[in-house]
Every structure is written in structure tokens, then in C-alpha cells.
Amino acid sequence: MLYLYEFFYTWVSLFMTVKLAVVMDPIHAINFKKDTSLAMLLAAQKRGWELWYIEQAGLYLDHGKAMAQMQAVVVRYDSKDWFTLGEPIRRPLADMDVVLMRKDPPFDNEFIYSTYILEAAELENTLIVNKPSSLRDCNEKVFATLFPHCTPPVLVTRLPALLREFYADHHDVIFKPLDGMGGSNIFRIKPGDPNISVIIEILTGHGSQQIMAQKFIPEISQGDKRILMIDGQHVGYALARIPAPNETRGNLAAGGTAKGVELSTRDRWICEQVGPTLKAKGLVFVGLDVIGDYLTEINVTSPTCVRELDAAFNLDIAGDLMSCIAQKLGKE
């Protein structure tokens, strides 16, 4: 009789509704057509999962217990009316089976504090996507340097002399901050550029903060490819973000245009090099940025481009992510 009860309990637990919470920027202000977090919510709702919405300010610790002010949320594929929120309530994050951390950068102290709170929930067996400690450890620009065989020549420093030497060696370079997003504050310095001194001063804060220097990759004209990875495996295609005329940044936020492309042999090789490390670090949903033959960044905070790739190749990337999460929860 005991065995029958245990079997029944296990069978029922497998089919219980998954409770999913998302920490994201204000849902009323998202871009309906492009927002990846909304795609994730729609995919989870399609499975019948229970959805909860949290803004970063709603995360808190109460006597060491991870808590949040959250709201039940219903989402719709309707460009004029895509969500309904319930009344705010305070609830332990441990009540959730999974929490998606989808807060956009900047990666500032508040973001770090949020990972501490999410880590407390993780200790109570809530799955956090992506793993909080890895969000802290894996700076999206510096993380790529763990794979020097995949990257262009690159330097991270705050010393002006080293930056000048890098420029002298490579002649045409990119300087960028380590905490930027959307292509902000990225400078291309061509041979003979008279502004190198002021660019170094601005980006390093007169030598007070680290920046990244990369050799310029001319293949940027063909697009900065975003390759999405789920639990260390690529989704099969990339979104090439092609710079606007007279622009070196392919970021869509910087005016780039998007084109779906097949992965090249080199793209697949890069994914094979990086994938096992992503999986080992609990980085379930990640975006690799590849220009030409080179890995340039590894986006771990809130990767985008799901909607564009789905539309271009009839994919269901958010659905695949939910399947991965269900497997990790033992619900599929």
C-alpha cells in the first residue's frame, strides 16, 4: 500500500503546475514585437504554468530568506494589450519552481545585490536562470577572454600606455567599456586618429577604470551574429545584426538591421568550444556574439533576438527553453 501511495505521489508531482517568476524591466514599457522575456512568458503560459512578475526593486531579504513583492501575470499575443497584472503580494521566492533573471543591464551594484537575493532562493532549491553566481562572475566582455583561441586580439586594461601600444600594434581597433550594452560608448579608432588621447581619457576615467580593446574585424559589415545557446547547445541559426551606413556597430539599439543566417562551420566550432563551460556554470540561456570568425562577447544577463529568429526560421526558441527548464525540474 505504501508503494502505491509513493507511486501516486510521484505521478501527481510530475504533472503539477510549474510556478515560474520573471524578474524583468517594467512590462508596460517593453517592445512588444521584439521582447524576449515576453516570448518566454508566452511559452510558459502555453504549457499551463503559473506566472509571476517581479521588478528588481521588489526583491528583498527578510531574516536571510529570499522574498519578493510579486504579481500574478497573464500574457497575450496582442500588441495593444499584452498583459494583465494581479494585486501585489509578498511571497517567498522559494515558493517558485524557477525564476528567470531577465533584468537588463547596467550591471551595477543593484544588479549584484539582486543576485545575492536570488542565490538565497537557489539555496532553497529554486532554479534560477541564469545561475546567480555565474551572472556575477561572467562579465559579458571579459568572459569571452576565457576562450582566446576563439577571439580576436584583445586587451583589458586601464593603463593608457598599454592601450596606445595595442593601437600601435593593430592600427585599427575598437575600445569599449566593460559594462555597456546596446553598443553604447563603443569607439573605433582608425590609423592616425587624432582623438585617441581623449577617447582613452573618457573611457578609462583618466586611468581609473578598466576597458576592453579589440582588433577591428572588417567582417562586421556582414553582421554581428547573435547565436543563442540553451544549456550549452546552439539553436541552429544566428541573427546577423548589420550596421547602418557609416556605422561600425551592428547592435539593433544602434540602428543595425537584422537578417537570419545559417551557422557557419566556424560558428559551430565556437559553440562547441564555449558550450560545455556554459553548461557547467549553470548558464542556461546565453547569447554569443560572433563577428567574422571571432567570438567577441558572451551575453549572460538578458540575451535577446528570440522573436526575430523564430520569425525567420519558424522556430520556438522560448518553447525549447521551457522544455529544458522542465527537464531540469523533473517535470518532463
Side-chain angles (χ1 to χ4, degrees), residues 290-311:
V290 175
I291 302 174
D293 287 337
Y294 299 106
L295 174 70
T296 59
E297 293 188 18
I298 302 176
N299 293 270
V300 303
T301 49
S302 56
T304 60
C305 299
V306 160
R307 305 285 284 278
E308 295 92 336
L309 282 169
D310 280 354

Side-chain angles (χ1 to χ4, degrees), residues 79 126 172 301:
S79 62
T126 295
D172 194 349
T301 49

Side-chain angles (χ1 to χ4, degrees), residues 54-115:
I54 304 169
E55 293 186 15
Q56 187 180 31
L59 296 171
Y60 66 102
L61 286 171
D62 189 351
H63 290 79
K65 190 173 184 65
M67 302 287 293
Q69 179 169 286
M70 61 181 73
Q71 296 168 268
V73 60
V74 175
V75 288
R76 292 173 289 278
Y77 198 79
D78 182 339
S79 62
K80 296 179 180 176
D81 181 26
W82 60 84
F83 71 98
T84 299
L85 294 175
E87 291 298 314
I89 64 170
R90 297 170 185 171
R91 190 171 181 182
L93 285 178
D95 287 355
M96 301 294 111
D97 296 293
V98 58
V99 176
L100 307 178
M101 179 48 167
R102 293 285 305 170
K103 174 70 179 69
D104 283 342
F107 191 90
D108 53 14
N109 281 341
E110 284 302 310
F111 198 105
I112 292 172
Y113 302 151
S114 295
T115 67

